[in-house]
Amino acid sequence: MTLDGDSVFHQIFNSAGNGTVAQSSFSRTEFSLAPISTGPNRGNLRVYVGDASSAAADFYRVDNANVTAATLVGGNNGGWTKLSSSTNGSPGFASFKYCFGGNTNQCSYDMPVYSPPGSPNIVYIGGALQYPELGRRSNGRGIQRSQDAGVNFTDMTIDTHGVSLHPDQHAIASTPGNPDIVFIGNDGGLWRLNGSFTNASSQCSSRGLTGADLTDCQHWLSAIPTSITSLNNGLETLQFQSLSKYVATASDEIMGGTQDNGTQALNNGSWFVTIFGDGGQSGINFSNSEKRFHTFFDAQIDMNFRFNSSPFLCPTCPGNETGWNWVSDTFFSGAGAGEARSFYIPIIFDPVVNGTLFTGLQHVWRTQDDNGGQAFLEQHCNEFVGTFDVPCGDWVAIGTDLTSNSAEETKTLRASTSSQLSGRPVTPARFGWDSGVDASSSRRTPINRAVR
């Protein structure tokens, strides 16, 4: 910060990175200026700061930054008021780890702080959805609003009609002259809070809460948006990772993963979200359109055997939403847990042999029985009602480790590294990036390998 008459900028806040290089990829600091233009403190500059490290995220305020930098930063941010608290049930708990997605630090990705111009007592903060408390002590707290200068917050994530914001928040702005009509940019596009709020704290009594959790819920739901509106008609915000099609007929059955907006499916001319989260690869069995797979990010794979069946888990629960079964324990707690993998892994159905799928990490991995089959997976591994008392997925590595090179490959690499890749390893770590089955031989699978 620099004051009038001073041409030098001075540090006014000790961030999690100590004002120099961030200590981790999670360290981030966001701020919003809130000049006070009326009342006895007119002319003061209020500043809100959100500050995150790998361990926590906290929220701060200073009511008059028009002082020397030493006054603000001295004594480890002695001029700032820390508003957040790790005590469940206290006002400051709402802004503690506010950009974490439950227990996952999302602050490097989701961390907006915004105070509407002319309303210094109102401040909005955003982050990743608090998944563990969704439908429990909160509505997810993706966006929170305070009207008492950051002391208390209420939950802006779900309106009175059940319309919900996307889990990842990035930008907040208000309508000039009305701090309650707010536009929110997130991984789901553009949304608007329409300016009125409703006390929905009565919902807390049916959520099985007691003690501090009940206290939090009653406060956080005391002023939720009456209405949230999507502004995405005609706005091209979805990024498809890939598409898959049912090839046995000329139907329009298509699936495709979209980055952080789920896996979309097209059927009878209409698109719908078949599963939430990061949409990666997808596949439809060559002879049975009921049997499908999709991936989230990383080596997270689901299979479905009743995609066109409805109902499944309840009278209004279609199989294309609730029939997904987890089949990836091999890659997180089994033989493939230590293998390098891409953000979206390559995976295909065998186009000839039913029950066989291939995927690529450091090895090519194969299942020859649909990872245990429908009855087994729906009992033990269903994403919604599975018992998860046994490992889910029976992938087996085939072939060699793709991070190892043959003697001839190594010789070629050595020749090139001496003149072109000085200082780089001779044998880079590589993992499967793309794959297919040779149409002329079901026993041959070409694999593209990534260099990193």
Side-chain angles (χ1 to χ4, degrees):
M1 183 183 76
T2 182
L3 297 174
D4 291 344
D6 186 353
S7 61
V8 179
F9 280 89
H10 304 276
Q11 181 182 351
I12 63 170
F13 183 84
N14 282 322
S15 67
N18 292 324
T20 55
V21 178
Q23 293 175 333
S24 78
S25 60
F26 301 109
S27 297
R28 181 175 174 182
T29 303
E30 293 290 332
F31 69 92
S32 182
L33 305 181
I36 299 174
S37 57
T38 61
N41 296 318
R42 179 180 179 180
N44 288 357
L45 175 61
R46 177 175 288 163
V47 183
Y48 296 100
V49 167
D51 187 48
S53 69
S54 59
D58 290 307
F59 194 60
Y60 296 82
R61 186 191 77 216
V62 62
D63 287 324
N64 186 18
N66 295 324
V67 295
T68 65
T71 301
L72 296 172
V73 79
N76 193 23
N77 296 326
W80 295 82
T81 299
K82 183 178 178 180
L83 300 167
S84 51
S85 168
S86 60
T87 302
N88 189 2
S90 68
F93 191 63
S95 58
F96 178 68
K97 290 188 174 182
Y98 72 91
C99 46
F100 278 52
N103 296 320
T104 303
N105 191 330
Q106 287 277 98
C107 300
S108 63
Y109 189 63
D110 309 296
M111 200 183 173
V113 176
Y114 175 74
S115 181
S119 300
N121 288 332
I122 295 177
V123 61
Y124 294 84
I125 56 177
L129 197 72
Q130 303 284 343
Y131 289 99
E133 55 186 62
L134 179 63
R136 298 281 297 160
R137 67 184 180 196
S138 81
N139 284 345
R141 294 195 294 128
I143 292 286
Q144 299 182 81
R145 175 182 183 271
S146 172
Q147 58 183 8
D148 59 1
V151 177
N152 294 279
F153 284 88
T154 56
D155 195 339
M156 299 287 105
T157 313
I158 301 176
D159 71 10
T160 56
H161 309 287
V163 176
S164 175
L165 296 173
H166 187 280
D168 293 293
Q169 318 303 325
H170 301 297
I172 309 169
S174 64
T175 298
N178 190 336
D180 298 332
I181 298 178
V182 172
F183 298 88
I184 297 168
N186 55 38
D187 278 5
L190 184 64
W191 301 76
R192 181 179 64 212
L193 307 185
N194 291 328
S196 64
F197 307 98
T198 299
N199 186 342
S201 59
S202 60
Q203 296 178 12
C204 301
S205 61
S206 62
R207 296 187 178 189
L209 303 171
T210 59
D213 285 344
L214 180 59
T215 299
D216 283 336
C217 180
Q218 290 172 336
H219 183 75
W220 293 342
L221 270 59
S222 64
I224 69 170
T226 304
S227 179
I228 297 174
T229 301
S230 169
L231 303 178
N232 292 313
N233 288 342
L235 185 63
E236 298 177 357
T237 60
L238 296 183
Q239 173 188 337
F240 275 93
Q241 165 65 22
S242 62
L243 292 172
S244 57
K245 187 182 185 304
Y246 183 44
V247 298
T249 70
S251 70
D252 65 355
E253 292 188 69
I254 298 173
M255 285 177 61
T258 57
Q259 193 278 321
D260 213 15
N261 280 276
T263 295
Q264 315 280 327
L266 175 66
N267 200 0
N268 296 322
S270 297
W271 286 97
F272 62 95
V273 178
T274 177
I275 189 70
F276 45 78
D278 272 294
Q281 315 291 6
S282 62
I284 306 174
N285 182 266
F286 64 91
S287 65
N288 179 7
S289 67
E290 294 267 38
K291 187 192 298 186
R292 307 189 182 202
F293 70 76
H294 83 90
T295 70
F296 299 107
F297 75 96
D298 204 328
Q300 301 183 79
I301 309 164
D302 280 345
M303 290 191 66
N304 194 325
F305 299 89
R306 51 173 83 233
F307 192 82
N308 296 317
S309 300
S310 181
F312 177 37
L313 299 181
C314 70
T316 58
C317 300
N320 54 37
E321 296 179 3
T322 58
W324 293 106
N325 308 292
W326 172 258
V327 295
S328 290
D329 281 348
T330 304
F331 308 125
F332 293 92
S333 57
E339 293 210 353
R341 71 283 306 267
S342 56
F343 189 83
Y344 293 126
I345 59 171
I347 177 173
I348 57 169
F349 276 116
D350 190 303
V352 177
V353 182
N354 209 350
T356 297
L357 295 87
F358 299 91
T359 188
L361 282 75
Q362 284 179 220
H363 288 84
V364 175
W365 294 80
R366 178 178 63 189
T367 176
Q368 295 178 284
D369 63 353
D370 287 325
N371 282 290
Q374 179 176 355
F376 172 85
L377 292 175
E378 289 184 349
Q379 176 183 351
H380 299 286
C381 308
N382 182 267
E383 289 276 17
F384 302 93
V385 297
T387 59
F388 291 97
D389 53 353
V390 294
C392 296
D394 61 4
W395 301 92
V396 175
I398 59 176
T400 61
D401 184 339
L402 297 178
T403 61
S404 300
N405 294 289
S406 68
E408 188 62 33
E409 287 177 310
T410 302
K411 180 179 178 181
T412 302
L413 279 168
R414 283 175 177 158
S416 64
T417 53
S418 62
S419 59
Q420 300 177 33
L421 305 175
S422 177
R424 292 185 59 185
V426 170
T427 307
R430 300 193 279 182
F431 52 85
W433 178 256
D434 195 8
S435 63
V437 174
D438 192 329
S440 65
S441 172
S442 63
R443 299 181 62 84
R444 187 161 55 236
T445 302
I447 299 292
N448 291 332
R449 293 189 287 180
V451 178
R452 59 174 196 169

